[in-house]
Amino acid sequence: MPVQASRRPPSLEPVGAAARIPSVVPSQPRRGGKRPGGGPAKKRTRRKDPLWARLTVAFGAVLMMTSGIAIVGSKALIGQATGNIAQRNLLGDAGKSDAEGGANLEGPIDMLLLGVDARERWAADDVRADTIIVLHIPASHDQAYLISIPRDTEAEIPGHGLDKINSAFQFGAQNGGGWEGGAQLMAKTIKKMTGISFDGASIINFGGFKGVIDALGTVRICVSHEVKSHHMSYVDGKPMWNADAKKTGRTMTPVVHKKGCREMKGWAALDYARQRYGLPNSDYDRQQNQQQLIKAMAKKATENGTLTNPVKLNGLIKAAGKAFVLDTGGVPVIDLIYTMRGVTGNDLTMLRTNGGTFHANASGTKESLSPQTMEMFQAIKEDKLAEFVYANPGVLSTRK
């Protein structure tokens, strides 16, 4: 299972019968700056709040596919289902070299998970990745860790100087770079900042991802702080986006996520994970809620029989294939799935950067990564994260 992360091809085509990006993935200008159908990419007139507020749960889908040793179905069945997953070169030269263990899946696995706005009417070079998660799987392949990088962290973006790290995706997407260029520059920026190279990456497409949650039915979420939705309201008992609700001219009742544990449908779980206004630690609380949702999805897939029912498993993987763009560094998706099949939802550990709250740089004006957080990333690089967490229990998420 060779992983040529240090010698990646210009572009990886999807495997299987559906050798194209699913229609739910926004059309992206290729290197020449044109859309696949011809003509220049359209620009939007001004930036609005993203449709899904930068929710990233992309690799939660892969975790669900692989959770538990009870996974069933032949490689042929799963390979056919994963054929719809669009594969692209998302890492560029930020992939692991052979010397770093990039030649196989036997050592630790580090993945970069990015959440971007996926509205098709927006040009691919006018998008930021405002949710950034590092997924670390130790060499034992029996545990997984999620570490969020705050979107406003000041970083040295190669070729663009100091800026908020979420700008790296937008800069890389410009001049025909598209989503590939955006992800590559983001990966390069993170590598420069933390020293971590990656085995693979993924970009979430919210429009397709809702189907993954719907395939599971519901997910159990424990709300830590009551919060009123900034994006959705009820109209005659039906949840609607505020913009659509206003058009009805009828009474709008805000959606409120009350404290406590409950089963949430897809729309409610996603809406809850989008919220930051009204939460004590704003985006840091949202980061924990997003990680919580990923874990809830992985647990649900393990517990509801999805992984022991070939029909359910096939449907889930097909839904996941429509939800995100993936880079496995040249490794067949099926090999990655079987490598990770021992990781269950209960083995997914959520970690907090900066102690779960804003950390200012030396001047006190910008957000930065704390010394403890930099030590945590060093522990990831050295595959000593378990030891670090044991010595620093305060980095554990407060979510259930």
Side-chain angles (χ1 to χ4, degrees), residues 147-148 150 225 279-288 291 351-359 367-370 372-373 376 393-399:
I147 307 96
S148 296
H225 303 93
L279 294 176
N281 283 299
S282 188
D283 189 55
Y284 283 90
D285 281 329
R286 181 169 63 178
Q287 292 168 27
Q288 290 195 79
Q291 294 180 2
L351 302 180
R352 300 185 295 172
T353 49
N354 294 347
T357 191
F358 180 85
H359 182 270
E367 190 163 18
S368 65
L369 298 181
S370 68
Q372 183 189 55
T373 296
M376 181 162 57
V395 301
L396 290 167
S397 172
T398 59
R399 300 297 184 266

Side-chain angles (χ1 to χ4, degrees), residues 176-259:
W179 280 17
E180 290 182 40
Q184 289 173 13
L185 186 57
M186 177 65 78
K188 189 174 183 179
T189 299
I190 295 173
K191 180 177 180 178
K192 181 178 180 63
M193 180 171 64
T194 67
I196 296 175
S197 301
F198 296 97
D199 295 278
S202 64
I203 305 176
I204 182 63
N205 170 20
F206 168 76
F209 196 78
K210 185 177 182 298
V212 177
I213 300 179
D214 291 341
L216 291 170
T218 60
V219 289
R220 183 170 178 79
I221 298 293
C222 291
V223 178
S224 299
H225 303 93
E226 180 174 314
V227 60
K228 182 175 76 172
S229 175
H230 191 69
H231 313 96
M232 299 190 76
S233 298
Y234 291 108
V235 175
D236 297 331
K238 179 182 178 181
M240 301 179 67
W241 298 111
N242 286 338
D244 295 328
K246 291 176 182 178
K247 294 177 182 177
T248 68
R250 304 180 69 86
T251 301
M252 297 169 56
T253 303
V255 169
V256 178
H257 301 284
K258 296 185 178 295
K259 188 175 180 179

Side-chain angles (χ1 to χ4, degrees), residues 119-165:
R119 281 183 268 189
E120 291 197 40
R121 69 179 183 272
W122 288 7
D125 63 353
D126 197 14
V127 176
R128 294 179 182 229
D130 283 338
T131 291
I132 309 158
I133 295 179
V134 173
L135 170 69
H136 175 72
I137 300 170
S140 56
H141 297 165
D142 58 357
Q143 186 78 25
Y145 298 87
L146 294 174
I147 307 96
S148 296
I149 297 178
R151 62 177 190 165
D152 291 336
T153 301
E154 186 178 52
E156 179 69 35
I157 301 175
H160 299 274
L162 288 174
D163 208 324
K164 292 181 179 180
I165 195 168

Side-chain angles (χ1 to χ4, degrees), residues 276-327:
R276 63 186 175 99
Y277 297 109
L279 294 176
N281 283 299
S282 188
D283 189 55
Y284 283 90
D285 281 329
R286 181 169 63 178
Q287 292 168 27
Q288 290 195 79
N289 294 343
Q290 291 167 355
Q291 294 180 2
Q292 179 187 32
L293 178 55
I294 293 176
K295 184 168 184 175
M297 294 171 68
K299 290 180 67 175
K300 184 61 176 284
T302 304
E303 296 168 357
N304 76 346
T306 296
L307 302 178
T308 57
N309 184 316
V311 176
K312 287 185 177 181
L313 179 64
N314 192 52
L316 180 63
I317 295 178
K318 284 186 176 180
K322 296 178 181 179
F324 59 93
V325 182
L326 182 65
D327 180 354

Side-chain angles (χ1 to χ4, degrees), residues 78-147:
I78 299 175
Q80 181 181 14
T82 56
N84 285 329
I85 298 178
Q87 295 191 62
R88 292 289 183 265
N89 178 2
L90 305 180
L91 292 176
D93 57 7
K96 285 184 180 177
S97 65
D98 291 350
E100 294 174 304
N104 55 61
L105 291 175
E106 295 177 359
I109 299 172
D110 297 298
M111 306 288 294
L112 174 61
L113 319 181
L114 301 175
V116 301
D117 196 296
R119 281 183 268 189
E120 291 197 40
R121 69 179 183 272
W122 288 7
D125 63 353
D126 197 14
V127 176
R128 294 179 182 229
D130 283 338
T131 291
I132 309 158
I133 295 179
V134 173
L135 170 69
H136 175 72
I137 300 170
S140 56
H141 297 165
D142 58 357
Q143 186 78 25
Y145 298 87
L146 294 174
I147 307 96

